[in-house]
Amino acid sequence: MRPIPCSRDMDFGQSNLFGYIEDLQELTIIERPVRRSLKTPEEIERLTVDEELNDIERALYLLSSGQDVQGTSVVANLPVLMRQNPAETLRRVLPKIREVLHVAGVEMQLTAAVSFLTVLQDESVSIHTYSHSFLHIILQNLEHRDAGVSNAWLETLLAVIEALPKETIRHEILNPLVSKAQISQTLQSRLVSCKIMGKLANKFEAHIVKREILPLVKSLCQDVEYEVRTCMCRQLEHVAQGIGTELTKTVVLPELVELARDEGSSVRLAAFETLVNLLDMFDSDDRRQTVLPLVKSFCEKSFKADESILVSLSFHLGKLCNGLYGIFTPEQHLRFLEFYKKLCTLGLQQENGHNDNQLQLQTLEQEKKYISVRKNCAYNFPAMIVFVDPKNFHLELYSIFFCLCHDPEVTVRYTMAISFYEVAKLLNSSVCTIQKELVTLLQDESLEVLDALVGHLPEILELMINGGENSGSESKLLSIPDLIPALTTAEQRAATSLKWRTHEKLLQKYACLPQIISSDQIYYRFLHRMLAIILTNNVLPVQKAAARTLCVYLRYNRKQEQRHEVIQKLIEQLGQGKSYWNRLRFLDTCEFIMELFSKSFFCKYFFLPVLELTHDPVANVRIKLCYLLPKVKSTLKIPTDKHLLQQLELCIRKLLCQEKDKDVLTIVKRTVLELDRMDISLDAFQKRFYENDLLDQEKERQEHLLLEMEQLEKEKQQNEGRSANVNDKIFEKKRRDNKPSSVLVKSMTLSSGNSSGASTGKEDKKSKLVRSQSFNTQALHPKYNNIDNKSSATGYTSSLSGMGKSCMLSFSVPPSYLLATHLTQLIKRTMEIKKVSPER
């Protein structure tokens, strides 16, 4: 349909005029179904029911003379009627429903199957009454001509079998089943019999199953129709669980071997999947002699003659490899591993060395099959790590892991993202080998992949940091160098998309970052971003997630200056913001502050800014504040916060006296009653608040610890700066002192002559002079000037070197005394040199 132009652009020529008429006709066609859906007065009269009729009579009337939709509504309401009046419903309504179902349509049949199952689950009547009244109706409709209706009634019957007593099952279900499973019965009847026998095998003892059910099972496994053989083959798993290990080996396994060689591909597929599911029931001899040859045969044929089994084989390969691990020879182990590698790249490799132009075009069906195979390989990757041993991961499977994480199909990468955490757990200390793939998946173009990875992101990052070789606190960022850019890119991509739930989930998981990266990195790369999201994003759950994560970052920030800056921004940009929406978010943030921080922290920084919102011009803000006031009051401690309590009471009085909005006033009155009932905790511990007080005390202790750590870091940085300055001065002094000493040594060498005795004496004098200078330099080491600000006492440290060892001694004496002592020692050493060398 073309857009209709404005009047000045209209061309009323003949061709264009007919075009406009056609557009108008299309509009009328669109409206016609709306008019036809309206009911005529006759139809309304026919659908009208007398209001004086009770529920039972109304149901009977609608089932007898109403339309199909009304009868379907009665059947759907059957569980309610059974709860309200079971006796009358069973006596009058249920026989009418039974009568109507003979000629009912598909919709009513499906509704009846669901309603009958609901009545059983509600236990409105005893199981004896249910089997007497409902079971016959279920059995009558099992062989309905519509396959969907038949399956619905079959599902109801299988659920009913779980609750029925054995005798009822034997007489009402098992005995008729013998005749319905015969070859002379219809295909639908035999298919239903297969599924019922799989259920009955777990209801009776092994000898009854062997005598009455196994002959029917064997007969249906040899049925002429491949649908029946396939259906019965899939029920052999349930039959095996009912008869035990011995009968499974002697009866079920031979049937499976024969069905695995069946001419029908669906039968072979069912046999293979059943064989894998029963692997635990076979001993090592059965696995080696029977199961392993069959599996090898399936693998060999999957690429050649029987591609139908390829998808199923790739899905079960991990379970097969680990189930048969104990009987593999090294050659077989390598063969299955190579087979798995081949499946991982199926559809991506160039065959026979041909170029892309020479490759045959694959059909769409083949492409879908190959994608499913690679997806299943990604699903089985953790199992294959166990198969090859995590120690051999880098050598055997890393290249395949790389390919799957970079697969062109989103579904494959999505599966790898889901299993990434399992892979990381299995690798343990070798987890550092997959760091690049973590960054790759974080930067994936598909948000589905990112959403799958984020689910276990905190656990993955913790393993990356603590599990690798570089497991130190100082090597947090060095271990994953591209982590921070990848995390910021992922958040920005989620923010610009329409999938706000993924963005919310991502922000919630980013709360783990204080345990992963440094406080400064969080402050400069993430904390301000969280504040921007709160201020600019339009999705409330995303804003709340960002607010809580910001509070976590603030909780673990290690610099008081940065904390004060963030608190100031929260108060100014949110609490005092121009938009009422921002002020509402400020109250949400205060809730998270109360949850994560100590009571004293909230009272110090946020108590008064919250109370200022009692004068907010927007009623919704005042309403939200009123709901928050009980939590605000619970942060107070008496008598320390007595002045804050007075401020709170003053604000409440003003609200009661000055509030004009009826809704706000109602909530204020309700809040006042709640506040009056509250008890305020004291500074001392009380039994009623013991656990809460302990938790708050721990939060407060951690906050003080952060302040102490910050103070220690500042002192360390100051001491390092002073030490660097003193070292520079000493180095310059040594450089000046070494110049005259070198000239002196040179003159002494020239005046020594050829006498060996004189030379030896002067060498001794030279070495003593150098030792004296060295001692003089060490005596004024900068570490004497270390100051401990916390204890308000001055400490001085002396570093003495000798005999290859260093000894640190701490003094509490004035620096003048210390300097005089070392000068005295220096004079003594000089006098000794003069005694040895009078020439000097």
Side-chain angles (χ1 to χ4, degrees), residues 308-347:
S308 61
I309 204 172
L310 194 59
V311 177
S312 179
L313 182 59
S314 64
F315 181 77
H316 292 97
L317 190 60
K319 188 174 182 179
L320 268 175
C321 289
N322 287 282
L324 300 174
Y325 180 80
I327 63 172
F328 278 151
T329 63
E331 182 183 355
Q332 291 170 339
H333 186 282
L334 182 61
R335 183 181 300 173
F336 273 85
L337 180 59
E338 292 300 323
F339 180 74
Y340 172 75
K341 292 181 180 179
K342 187 175 181 181
L343 292 179
C344 288
T345 57
L346 190 64

Short mmCIF file of all heavy atoms in Angstrom, two decimals, residues 308-347:
data_model
loop_
_atom_site.label_atom_id
_atom_site.label_comp_id
_atom_site.label_asym_id
_atom_site.label_seq_id
_atom_site.Cartn_x
_atom_site.Cartn_y
_atom_site.Cartn_z
N SER A 308 22.10 -39.63 9.09
CA SER A 308 20.97 -39.33 9.97
C SER A 308 21.35 -39.45 11.44
O SER A 308 20.74 -38.80 12.29
CB SER A 308 19.81 -40.29 9.66
OG SER A 308 20.20 -41.63 9.89
N ILE A 309 22.35 -40.24 11.74
CA ILE A 309 22.74 -40.46 13.13
C ILE A 309 23.82 -39.49 13.59
O ILE A 309 24.19 -39.47 14.76
CB ILE A 309 23.23 -41.92 13.31
CG1 ILE A 309 23.09 -42.37 14.77
CG2 ILE A 309 24.67 -42.08 12.86
CD1 ILE A 309 23.36 -43.81 14.98
N LEU A 310 24.31 -38.64 12.68
CA LEU A 310 25.45 -37.79 12.97
C LEU A 310 25.15 -36.81 14.10
O LEU A 310 25.96 -36.62 15.01
CB LEU A 310 25.87 -37.04 11.71
CG LEU A 310 27.24 -36.36 11.73
CD1 LEU A 310 28.34 -37.36 11.98
CD2 LEU A 310 27.47 -35.63 10.41
N VAL A 311 23.99 -36.16 14.06
CA VAL A 311 23.63 -35.18 15.08
C VAL A 311 23.50 -35.85 16.45
O VAL A 311 24.02 -35.35 17.45
CB VAL A 311 22.32 -34.47 14.70
CG1 VAL A 311 21.89 -33.50 15.80
CG2 VAL A 311 22.49 -33.72 13.38
N SER A 312 22.82 -36.99 16.49
CA SER A 312 22.66 -37.70 17.75
C SER A 312 24.01 -38.20 18.28
O SER A 312 24.28 -38.15 19.48
CB SER A 312 21.70 -38.88 17.57
OG SER A 312 21.55 -39.59 18.77
N LEU A 313 24.86 -38.66 17.39
CA LEU A 313 26.18 -39.14 17.79
C LEU A 313 27.01 -38.02 18.40
O LEU A 313 27.67 -38.20 19.44
CB LEU A 313 26.90 -39.73 16.58
CG LEU A 313 28.28 -40.34 16.82
CD1 LEU A 313 28.22 -41.46 17.83
CD2 LEU A 313 28.87 -40.84 15.51
N SER A 314 26.96 -36.83 17.80
CA SER A 314 27.71 -35.71 18.35
C SER A 314 27.16 -35.29 19.71
O SER A 314 27.91 -34.82 20.57
CB SER A 314 27.66 -34.53 17.38
OG SER A 314 26.33 -34.06 17.22
N PHE A 315 25.86 -35.44 19.92
CA PHE A 315 25.26 -35.06 21.19
C PHE A 315 25.66 -36.02 22.31
O PHE A 315 25.87 -35.60 23.46
CB PHE A 315 23.73 -35.02 21.04
CG PHE A 315 23.01 -34.62 22.30
CD1 PHE A 315 22.96 -33.29 22.68
CD2 PHE A 315 22.39 -35.56 23.10
CE1 PHE A 315 22.31 -32.91 23.84
CE2 PHE A 315 21.73 -35.20 24.25
CZ PHE A 315 21.69 -33.86 24.62
N HIS A 316 25.77 -37.31 22.01
CA HIS A 316 26.06 -38.32 23.03
C HIS A 316 27.53 -38.71 23.10
O HIS A 316 27.88 -39.60 23.88
CB HIS A 316 25.22 -39.58 22.77
CG HIS A 316 23.75 -39.39 22.97
ND1 HIS A 316 22.89 -39.13 21.93
CD2 HIS A 316 22.99 -39.42 24.09
CE1 HIS A 316 21.66 -39.01 22.40
NE2 HIS A 316 21.69 -39.18 23.70
N LEU A 317 28.38 -38.07 22.30
CA LEU A 317 29.76 -38.53 22.21
C LEU A 317 30.50 -38.37 23.54
O LEU A 317 31.31 -39.24 23.92
CB LEU A 317 30.49 -37.75 21.11
CG LEU A 317 31.88 -38.28 20.74
CD1 LEU A 317 31.79 -39.71 20.25
CD2 LEU A 317 32.52 -37.40 19.67
N GLY A 318 30.26 -37.28 24.27
CA GLY A 318 30.93 -37.10 25.55
C GLY A 318 30.57 -38.18 26.55
O GLY A 318 31.44 -38.72 27.25
N LYS A 319 29.29 -38.53 26.60
CA LYS A 319 28.85 -39.60 27.50
C LYS A 319 29.42 -40.95 27.07
O LYS A 319 29.81 -41.77 27.92
CB LYS A 319 27.32 -39.64 27.51
CG LYS A 319 26.72 -40.57 28.55
CD LYS A 319 25.20 -40.44 28.57
CE LYS A 319 24.59 -41.34 29.64
NZ LYS A 319 23.11 -41.20 29.68
N LEU A 320 29.48 -41.18 25.77
CA LEU A 320 30.04 -42.44 25.26
C LEU A 320 31.51 -42.56 25.59
O LEU A 320 31.97 -43.61 26.08
CB LEU A 320 29.84 -42.50 23.74
CG LEU A 320 28.59 -43.19 23.22
CD1 LEU A 320 28.51 -43.05 21.71
CD2 LEU A 320 28.55 -44.64 23.63
N CYS A 321 32.28 -41.52 25.32
CA CYS A 321 33.73 -41.58 25.54
C CYS A 321 34.07 -41.82 27.01
O CYS A 321 34.97 -42.61 27.32
CB CYS A 321 34.38 -40.29 25.06
SG CYS A 321 34.41 -40.11 23.26
N ASN A 322 33.37 -41.15 27.91
CA ASN A 322 33.65 -41.35 29.33
C ASN A 322 33.08 -42.67 29.85
O ASN A 322 33.64 -43.26 30.76
CB ASN A 322 33.09 -40.18 30.13
CG ASN A 322 33.91 -38.91 29.96
OD1 ASN A 322 34.96 -38.76 30.57
ND2 ASN A 322 33.44 -38.00 29.12
N GLY A 323 31.96 -43.13 29.27
CA GLY A 323 31.39 -44.41 29.69
C GLY A 323 32.22 -45.59 29.26
O GLY A 323 32.27 -46.62 29.95
N LEU A 324 32.90 -45.46 28.11
CA LEU A 324 33.73 -46.56 27.59
C LEU A 324 35.21 -46.34 27.87
O LEU A 324 36.06 -47.06 27.34
CB LEU A 324 33.52 -46.70 26.08
CG LEU A 324 32.09 -47.01 25.62
CD1 LEU A 324 32.00 -46.98 24.11
CD2 LEU A 324 31.64 -48.36 26.16
N TYR A 325 35.54 -45.35 28.69
CA TYR A 325 36.94 -44.94 28.89
C TYR A 325 37.80 -46.11 29.39
O TYR A 325 38.93 -46.29 28.94
CB TYR A 325 36.99 -43.79 29.89
CG TYR A 325 38.38 -43.29 30.17
CD1 TYR A 325 39.00 -42.42 29.30
CD2 TYR A 325 39.08 -43.68 31.32
CE1 TYR A 325 40.27 -41.94 29.54
CE2 TYR A 325 40.35 -43.22 31.57
CZ TYR A 325 40.95 -42.35 30.68
OH TYR A 325 42.22 -41.89 30.93
N GLY A 326 37.26 -46.90 30.30
CA GLY A 326 38.06 -47.96 30.90
C GLY A 326 38.44 -49.10 29.97
O GLY A 326 39.38 -49.85 30.26
N ILE A 327 37.75 -49.24 28.84
CA ILE A 327 38.03 -50.37 27.94
C ILE A 327 38.74 -49.92 26.67
O ILE A 327 39.04 -50.74 25.81
CB ILE A 327 36.72 -51.10 27.57
CG1 ILE A 327 35.79 -50.17 26.79
CG2 ILE A 327 36.03 -51.63 28.81
CD1 ILE A 327 34.57 -50.88 26.23
N PHE A 328 39.01 -48.62 26.54
CA PHE A 328 39.70 -48.13 25.34
C PHE A 328 41.18 -48.49 25.38
O PHE A 328 41.84 -48.37 26.42
CB PHE A 328 39.59 -46.60 25.24
CG PHE A 328 38.29 -46.11 24.66
CD1 PHE A 328 37.77 -44.88 25.03
CD2 PHE A 328 37.59 -46.86 23.73
CE1 PHE A 328 36.59 -44.42 24.50
CE2 PHE A 328 36.40 -46.40 23.19
CZ PHE A 328 35.91 -45.19 23.58
N THR A 329 41.70 -48.92 24.25
CA THR A 329 43.14 -49.01 24.07
C THR A 329 43.66 -47.61 23.72
O THR A 329 42.87 -46.74 23.33
CB THR A 329 43.49 -49.98 22.95
OG1 THR A 329 42.95 -49.48 21.72
CG2 THR A 329 42.92 -51.37 23.23
N PRO A 330 44.97 -47.33 23.86
CA PRO A 330 45.49 -46.01 23.48
C PRO A 330 45.14 -45.63 22.04
O PRO A 330 44.83 -44.47 21.75
CB PRO A 330 47.00 -46.16 23.67
CG PRO A 330 47.13 -47.21 24.73
CD PRO A 330 46.01 -48.17 24.49
N GLU A 331 45.14 -46.61 21.13
CA GLU A 331 44.81 -46.33 19.74
C GLU A 331 43.34 -45.93 19.60
O GLU A 331 43.01 -44.99 18.87
CB GLU A 331 45.11 -47.56 18.89
CG GLU A 331 44.84 -47.35 17.40
CD GLU A 331 45.09 -48.61 16.60
OE1 GLU A 331 45.57 -49.61 17.19
OE2 GLU A 331 44.80 -48.59 15.40
N GLN A 332 42.45 -46.65 20.32
CA GLN A 332 41.03 -46.32 20.26
C GLN A 332 40.75 -44.97 20.90
O GLN A 332 39.91 -44.19 20.43
CB GLN A 332 40.22 -47.42 20.94
CG GLN A 332 40.23 -48.73 20.19
CD GLN A 332 39.63 -49.87 21.01
OE1 GLN A 332 39.55 -49.78 22.24
NE2 GLN A 332 39.22 -50.94 20.34
N HIS A 333 41.47 -44.69 21.98
CA HIS A 333 41.33 -43.40 22.65
C HIS A 333 41.67 -42.26 21.69
O HIS A 333 40.92 -41.26 21.57
CB HIS A 333 42.26 -43.37 23.87
CG HIS A 333 42.10 -42.15 24.73
ND1 HIS A 333 42.63 -40.93 24.40
CD2 HIS A 333 41.47 -41.97 25.93
CE1 HIS A 333 42.34 -40.05 25.34
NE2 HIS A 333 41.63 -40.66 26.28
N LEU A 334 42.77 -42.40 20.98
CA LEU A 334 43.19 -41.38 20.02
C LEU A 334 42.21 -41.28 18.85
O LEU A 334 41.91 -40.18 18.37
CB LEU A 334 44.59 -41.72 19.51
CG LEU A 334 45.21 -40.72 18.52
CD1 LEU A 334 45.35 -39.35 19.17
CD2 LEU A 334 46.56 -41.23 18.05
N ARG A 335 41.66 -42.43 18.41
CA ARG A 335 40.73 -42.43 17.29
C ARG A 335 39.45 -41.67 17.64
O ARG A 335 38.95 -40.88 16.83
CB ARG A 335 40.40 -43.87 16.89
CG ARG A 335 39.49 -43.98 15.68
CD ARG A 335 39.18 -45.42 15.36
NE ARG A 335 40.41 -46.19 15.07
CZ ARG A 335 40.43 -47.49 14.89
NH1 ARG A 335 39.30 -48.19 14.97
NH2 ARG A 335 41.56 -48.12 14.63
N PHE A 336 38.91 -41.90 18.83
CA PHE A 336 37.69 -41.19 19.22
C PHE A 336 37.95 -39.71 19.43
O PHE A 336 37.09 -38.87 19.13
CB PHE A 336 37.11 -41.81 20.50
CG PHE A 336 36.19 -42.97 20.25
CD1 PHE A 336 36.70 -44.25 20.08
CD2 PHE A 336 34.83 -42.79 20.14
CE1 PHE A 336 35.88 -45.32 19.82
CE2 PHE A 336 33.98 -43.86 19.89
CZ PHE A 336 34.50 -45.13 19.73
N LEU A 337 39.14 -39.36 19.93
CA LEU A 337 39.47 -37.95 20.09
C LEU A 337 39.57 -37.25 18.72
O LEU A 337 39.06 -36.14 18.55
CB LEU A 337 40.80 -37.82 20.84
CG LEU A 337 41.29 -36.39 21.09
CD1 LEU A 337 40.27 -35.59 21.90
CD2 LEU A 337 42.64 -36.41 21.82
N GLU A 338 40.19 -37.90 17.77
CA GLU A 338 40.28 -37.33 16.43
C GLU A 338 38.91 -37.22 15.78
O GLU A 338 38.62 -36.27 15.04
CB GLU A 338 41.21 -38.19 15.56
CG GLU A 338 42.67 -38.14 15.97
CD GLU A 338 43.23 -36.73 15.90
OE1 GLU A 338 42.86 -35.99 14.97
OE2 GLU A 338 44.03 -36.38 16.79
N PHE A 339 38.04 -38.20 16.06
CA PHE A 339 36.67 -38.15 15.54
C PHE A 339 35.94 -36.92 16.10
O PHE A 339 35.23 -36.22 15.37
CB PHE A 339 35.94 -39.44 15.90
CG PHE A 339 34.52 -39.49 15.41
CD1 PHE A 339 34.23 -39.69 14.08
CD2 PHE A 339 33.46 -39.34 16.30
CE1 PHE A 339 32.91 -39.73 13.62
CE2 PHE A 339 32.15 -39.38 15.87
CZ PHE A 339 31.87 -39.58 14.52
N TYR A 340 36.13 -36.66 17.38
CA TYR A 340 35.51 -35.49 18.00
C TYR A 340 36.04 -34.20 17.37
O TYR A 340 35.27 -33.27 17.09
CB TYR A 340 35.77 -35.50 19.51
CG TYR A 340 35.32 -34.24 20.21
CD1 TYR A 340 33.97 -33.99 20.45
CD2 TYR A 340 36.25 -33.28 20.62
CE1 TYR A 340 33.55 -32.83 21.08
CE2 TYR A 340 35.84 -32.12 21.25
CZ TYR A 340 34.50 -31.90 21.48
OH TYR A 340 34.09 -30.76 22.10
N LYS A 341 37.34 -34.12 17.17
CA LYS A 341 37.93 -32.93 16.55
C LYS A 341 37.37 -32.70 15.14
O LYS A 341 37.13 -31.56 14.73
CB LYS A 341 39.45 -33.06 16.49
CG LYS A 341 40.13 -33.03 17.86
CD LYS A 341 41.64 -33.15 17.69
CE LYS A 341 42.34 -33.11 19.04
NZ LYS A 341 43.82 -33.25 18.90
N LYS A 342 37.16 -33.78 14.43
CA LYS A 342 36.62 -33.66 13.08
C LYS A 342 35.19 -33.13 13.12
O LYS A 342 34.80 -32.29 12.29
CB LYS A 342 36.66 -35.03 12.40
CG LYS A 342 36.26 -35.00 10.93
CD LYS A 342 36.43 -36.36 10.29
CE LYS A 342 36.07 -36.33 8.81
NZ LYS A 342 36.21 -37.65 8.17
N LEU A 343 34.40 -33.58 14.10
CA LEU A 343 33.03 -33.08 14.23
C LEU A 343 32.99 -31.61 14.60
O LEU A 343 32.11 -30.87 14.17
CB LEU A 343 32.27 -33.90 15.29
CG LEU A 343 31.97 -35.36 14.98
CD1 LEU A 343 31.23 -35.99 16.16
CD2 LEU A 343 31.15 -35.50 13.72
N CYS A 344 33.98 -31.15 15.39
CA CYS A 344 34.00 -29.75 15.84
C CYS A 344 34.18 -28.77 14.69
O CYS A 344 33.75 -27.61 14.79
CB CYS A 344 35.13 -29.53 16.86
SG CYS A 344 34.79 -30.29 18.46
N THR A 345 34.81 -29.21 13.62
CA THR A 345 35.04 -28.32 12.46
C THR A 345 34.23 -28.74 11.25
O THR A 345 34.53 -28.30 10.13
CB THR A 345 36.54 -28.32 12.12
OG1 THR A 345 36.97 -29.67 11.86
CG2 THR A 345 37.37 -27.74 13.26
N LEU A 346 33.23 -29.56 11.45
CA LEU A 346 32.42 -30.04 10.33
C LEU A 346 31.68 -28.88 9.67
O LEU A 346 31.01 -28.09 10.32
CB LEU A 346 31.41 -31.07 10.85
CG LEU A 346 30.64 -31.85 9.79
CD1 LEU A 346 31.58 -32.71 8.96
CD2 LEU A 346 29.57 -32.72 10.44
N GLY A 347 31.83 -28.79 8.36
CA GLY A 347 31.20 -27.71 7.62
C GLY A 347 32.05 -26.47 7.49
O GLY A 347 31.67 -25.53 6.78
#
